[in-house]
Amino acid sequence: MLALARPTPRLPNQYLPTDENVRQYVSAQIRQLSPDRSLRAAMGKTAMRQTSSQTAEPNHVSIRRSASTVTGKSHATDAAPASERDDAAPTTTGEAGKPGGLVRSNTDVGPRRESLSEKPKATAEDWEIRHGYDEQYNSSKYLEHLSSTFFMYYTDKRHETGGKPRQDDPSHNSEWRMRDRLKTVSAALIICLNIGVDPPDVIKTNPTAKLECWIDPTPIVGTNSKTMEQIGKKLQEQYEGLSIRTRYKQYLDPSVEETQKFCKSLRRNAKDERILFHYNGHGVPMPTPSGEIWVFNRNYTQYIPVSLYDLQIWLGAPSLYVFDCSNAGNIIANFDRFVEKHEEEDAEARKKDPNLQFPNHGDNIQLAACGKTESLPTDPNLPADLFTCCLTTPIEISLRIFLLTNPLPNELSLKDVTRIPGRLAERRSPLGELSWIFTAITDTIAWNLLPRATFKKLFRQDLMVAALFRNFLLSERIMRANGCHPMSVPPLPESHNHPLWQAWDLTIEMVLSQLPAMIAAEEGGPSYEYVHSEFFTDQLTAFEVYLAQGAPNQEAPTQLPIVLQVLLSQVHRLRALILLSRFLDMGAWAVDLALTIGIFPYVLKLLQSAAFELKPVMIFIWARILAVDGSCQADLIKDNGYQYFLTMLNPSAQLPVPNQSEHRAMSAFIISMFCRGFSQGQTVCLSPELIEMCISHFRDEENPLLRQWSCLCISMLWADFPEAKWVGIRCQAHQKLCEMALDPVPEVRAAALHALNNFLGIPDLTSQVAHYEECVASTIMIMTNDGNCMVRRELLVFFSTFVKRYQNKFLVAAFEQLMEEKEFLVESEAKNNWNPQRGSLSRRNSKPDSDDDGHPQRVSKGSVQGTMWMHLLILSIDPHPEVAQDAKMIVDFIHEELLAGPLGSKAQLLMSDVVKLSRRAASAKPSAASRQTSAAPNGRRTPASGSPAPPVLPRNESYLSAGMRRTASMAAAMKRLTFGGSTEEPQAPQTVQVTQYYPGGPKRSRVPEEWSRPPDVHDPESKPKTYIKAPSPKPKGFQKQDPSSAPTLPLKSGFFDWSIEVSHPDSSQAPRNLMLSQYFGEPQMRPNEPDEPGSDDYNKKLWRRSRNEKVLNCTQPLKGVAGTSPWDVPAGYFNNGSQPTKMCFHQFEDHLAIADDRDSICIWDWTNHTRLSRFSNGNPPGSRINEARFINEDDSALLLTGSSDGIVKIFRNYESDKTIELVTAFRALTDLVPSSKNAGLVLDWQQGQGKLLVAGDVKVIRVWNAATEICTNDIPARSSSPLTSLTHDVIEGSTLIAGYGDGAIRVFDQRLKPALAMLRVWRRHNQWITNVHMQRGGLRELISGCRDGEVKLWDLRFKGEVRTIRAVEEPSSEHHHYNNNRGSGGLLRGLSVHEHAPVFAA
């Protein structure tokens, strides 16, 4: 049970409002204290009651809080300067080591021998922070640093994804590529005019529209044949302006027989390509209601109808129909009906004969001039074939229509519009600019109105179809204004009122307004320089506004097709490319849109440009494209486009940008994608120069992205390419990659492993090749202790490839390990003890062919394969589930191959014997009484009966590796092989209970051995009646292996795919701020989502920051009050369900983390008395949770736990049973003995420095860097006693203080060399140090307490303590024996120091 308490405030209400009032009141109260009052009497009941005492209710915990915490939290830390400012006055120091010379401060209110009146009065100058930190703490630079810098750790993308590529994001299917691209190869231009004879159903107005293809067909009587030829020729010229490569054939007033003949001929020649059928029916009757069109008989005496049914048979499909005649809608309405009829007939015939081949009738596109009952316009100012003019001469008809509907004051005539200078193909000429803008506008209208599939089919599949449909949009606008409604199949939405048509009108007006001056200059008048349109400049500005808004809801930009057209202009190209790169930076959806619109041919052609200023933006654009679609390898090999990026990889190549290394990293990424699985790309890129360039980038310490992709570039270059591997060997690339094993960035280390994995596999396995590969393997085995699980998984991929390649040698190593396992278990069972002189790990060979026990010498001993096999066994019980699962797969593979090989029967017998012996050893656990130990003459703890001591280990081997090597390998790797069961969570050794052995000789003389033991060493185990095992959190996306599936090697790496998604931040942020990793397919030019103002993540972070500031502001005035108020007001009481051993408060949230004496952690909302979650830490038997800390408390906190077996785990979403995830897990200490009755693992977390300090039952203090996830320093502990407590200073972050089991306290400086790091040692305590702690805020008091109840205050500048306090009553002599054996009164079992207030609990 947990009980919370708080007192009634002793502070008068009138002193509450301001900090100044609080400061004055507290100072006055302190000065009035009586000198003979004890510290305990002065503090009242300020100390937190014992949290894990052995009372009648073992699961009950009492927690109290003072009056200072009534209005806010009291554990606020250094998230901001306000959190460190203490309103109480600091202390002045006297002579070193003499507490009598000190002026009393808030934390120094105990009794003194001399009276207060004899001491000098404290002034403002006398109050100072401990340890001489005043100057640093009060500096404006330090305060600004605290308020503006918030480092978050273990929140990078590699921790969110675990280095696994996203499974829900399938590879790009390249839909933007027109796999079914068609061409209109043939065109039939049917013109039925019968000049001079009007059809019977047509009544023409007078005057009426006459022009056909801009030719008047009736000026001269008797020249009908020549006029028809001119019209036919002109129509062909107009179509050739749309598509010059199409074969055109004119059919003027054809008969029905000719129509049938040339239609069949067209289909026969076109094969499966598209045919254009243009029908001008102005001289024949209108189409019938059933859709029949009319032609002539041979003598032109009759009109002959042609059925759509017959026409579809003659032309087949795919076909493009253009019908320019009145009532053309009848054709559209009936066309599909006849297509369905054909398909039904074909289906019936196919039932009779499945082998029959039938023509295609379905793929047809139709354009019609008007609806079913509409007649063509007859305005004499317009051409008779207005629809054809819109489709084939859009610029001329647009100018004419504009001039008719919008008269200009310059009195231009309709003939003048044909005198606009230039050609359509010249974009810088007035006429060419008009055509260019028209294309951009119509493309944009279609892009914004049509579905993507329809747009791609009509505007990107066929040049002829695209041109006709662009012009069809214009015809809809013009024809509607003249009473007709053009129709199409597929149908298009209405576009006549699109806003961009206004931009088109403005463009025409700008040109026509300059036309008189241009005509005058052409006729010899004054010269005139044409003023170009601002259309593209304005549209780029609009696109820039869209980008500035951040693409809300991922809406497609209106101006994207216009940007595509702008790339054709050298004037606007650079700006357009920069804006395009910003758009592509928005994510994969933006790249998809750009590829769909047709950007790829343009950027591919620009690779041939030598423009220096385009290189950076081109590199960025291609990196974004390849990150989304890697199928562009064959395109890059055309015209040597890949050379563009190879040149940029050269360190001597210059770019017009400051971040050149980042663009070189993109170039390395592009080359990697170019070589990936593409043998032609590998062949053309293979050169020593490329490998040497990549190696040279390994030395770029400022940009980890460049180092990572240089490694991956080499990896992709020599993957399955032996020639490249030999070139790499000559360049010593494999050696340089091995040197990257200690790179400070985990992604770079994983990339180096990926490259080394692909280095394996040269087909001709000679002794030279084996030597190279074994050297690589032996070099990178150090990475088994890497703190990043992604790196360890990539290392296992390398191990799996190496194991598969040298399978026979690993079978020998596995068999010999089984023999050694059995021998050790047999010896242990026979002696019922572990003999330090006969342990299998301590044995040394006495003869060349045998060891000291006479056993044959192991063939695999000392070999690379034997060493790697032992590492695999250790990794099979890795604390991270994914790493352990991968390692077990390799181990299982070797064991299955061993069972299936010639040694199978012997191996099976060995496995059975090992399992039986392990079970018998596990069942022989000693009772609780037998675990009590006694002091030996030499000061060492001797084991009781049935509790063997571990062997003395060689210096190069640890007990952890030995224990797992002896007992856990079979349980972890052969469980399902022997019993056929499932492979559950890996378990640690379970043979016997182990008690700690401290190497280094006896303890200090004349000191009882009992004093160097933990206070709870004799506590009986808590055995609740019902203990429910809590679930163990798994990493995000963890997929458990199917036990029934056989293991296969080698393992498949997903790191390269993940690297395509993930990149590092800008070099200015690396490597300290690695949590800012970004996706290649996600924004890089703008802030991440959490840093983008207005985003949900940003708002949440802002709210938390505001909440934290409010908590700090509320708690600052209460610091001094907490030291003078009793902690006696109950605040809550709740049941934890198991014996609590460690508790940790969140400084801002109402979260309390409680670890029990097993392996469970409960998260409580201590204000509402509700349990939020409960989960298992996954500890192996015989170990427990030693530490629990919250990290990243200023934002979204993570929970860090440390266990007595040396394992550190970090959890995300710890407050929810449903969403909790394991962020990372690693073995922080590799030399710990799993035990629950010793110091185990102690740690201290430095949030500002991003460092994790770990120590315990080892001889070093290990410093782990949270950003790099590697051990950066091993500081010698300088003692044979276990290290029991760690703390550090917050201001500098370089000083750490350690407490030891023999009572010593040592001060270290991390900045010095490890051998010289110890600055000071205090030996004023005689017994086990319970805790040593330096405050984060307040006066930075350094407090220590030992098991005998003494609490001392220290100053780093003094050789002795500042103050000694007896916090626990000293036991009487008659109870001394009882206390030593039962742990009752007289022992200081716990010490907790408030981070800011002058309060400690004991």
Side-chain angles (χ1 to χ4, degrees), residues 163-367:
K164 301 183 290 293
R166 290 173 289 187
Q167 299 296 328
D168 56 345
D169 186 19
S171 59
H172 195 76
N173 53 15
S174 304
E175 287 186 354
W176 59 272
R177 292 183 181 272
M178 300 304 300
R179 304 298 184 186
D180 54 346
R181 181 181 293 274
L182 296 176
K183 293 184 294 183
T184 303
V185 297
S186 300
L189 307 180
I190 295 92
I191 304 176
C192 299
L193 293 180
N194 196 13
I195 298 175
V197 179
D198 293 334
D201 57 350
V202 175
I203 301 176
K204 294 185 178 181
T205 62
N206 190 15
T208 187
K210 297 181 180 180
L211 298 181
E212 299 282 353
C213 297
W214 305 108
I215 297 175
D216 189 349
T218 60
I220 304 174
V221 179
T223 58
N224 292 350
S225 60
K226 288 187 177 182
T227 303
M228 283 294 294
E229 292 175 0
Q230 292 175 359
I231 293 173
K233 183 178 180 181
K234 183 66 175 178
L235 180 62
Q236 180 174 337
E237 290 176 356
Q238 292 174 183
Y239 267 108
E240 287 175 347
L242 304 181
S243 176
I244 190 65
R245 296 184 179 181
T246 303
R247 300 187 298 268
Y248 298 96
K249 186 66 175 178
Q250 307 166 26
Y251 299 99
L252 310 178
D253 293 340
S255 64
V256 64
E257 292 81 9
E258 292 173 345
T259 302
Q260 179 181 1
K261 181 179 180 180
F262 69 69
C263 284
K264 291 183 177 180
S265 176
L266 285 174
R267 174 48 60 195
R268 185 168 53 252
N269 295 331
K271 297 181 180 178
D272 294 330
E273 298 290 350
R274 181 173 281 120
I275 295 173
L276 169 64
F277 182 84
H278 178 96
Y279 175 74
N280 183 328
H282 297 173
V284 294
M286 294 181 289
T288 64
S290 60
E292 295 171 314
I293 61 174
W294 300 87
V295 292
F296 305 94
N297 62 358
R298 290 182 180 274
N299 300 324
Y300 298 96
T301 58
Q302 291 181 343
Y303 300 108
I304 307 299
V306 176
S307 170
L308 290 178
Y309 181 86
D310 295 333
L311 188 62
Q312 291 171 359
I313 294 177
W314 300 340
L315 283 177
S319 297
L320 170 60
Y321 296 90
V322 177
F323 300 107
D324 187 357
C325 57
S326 299
N327 291 4
N330 287 327
I331 305 174
I332 302 297
N334 291 278
F335 197 94
D336 289 341
R337 180 167 59 90
F338 289 107
V339 171
E340 293 174 1
K341 186 176 180 180
H342 282 296
E343 292 176 349
E344 290 175 359
E345 293 175 353
D346 293 344
E348 291 294 333
R350 190 174 289 109
K351 291 180 181 179
K352 299 178 180 179
D353 188 356
N355 297 323
L356 286 179
Q357 297 295 327
F358 300 95
N360 180 20
H361 299 289
D363 188 6
N364 294 291
I365 299 174
Q366 304 150 52
L367 301 175

Side-chain angles (χ1 to χ4, degrees), residues 998-1004 1012 1239 1256-1260 1277-1284 1299-1304 1306 1323 1328:
Y998 301 122
K1003 302 292 187 298
R1004 289 181 294 176
S1012 299
D1257 298 326
V1258 289
K1259 293 185 177 181
V1260 296
R1278 304 289 290 271
S1279 174
S1280 60
S1281 296
L1283 199 148
T1284 63
Y1300 291 80
D1302 59 359
R1306 289 177 171 83
R1323 300 184 184 274
W1328 182 282

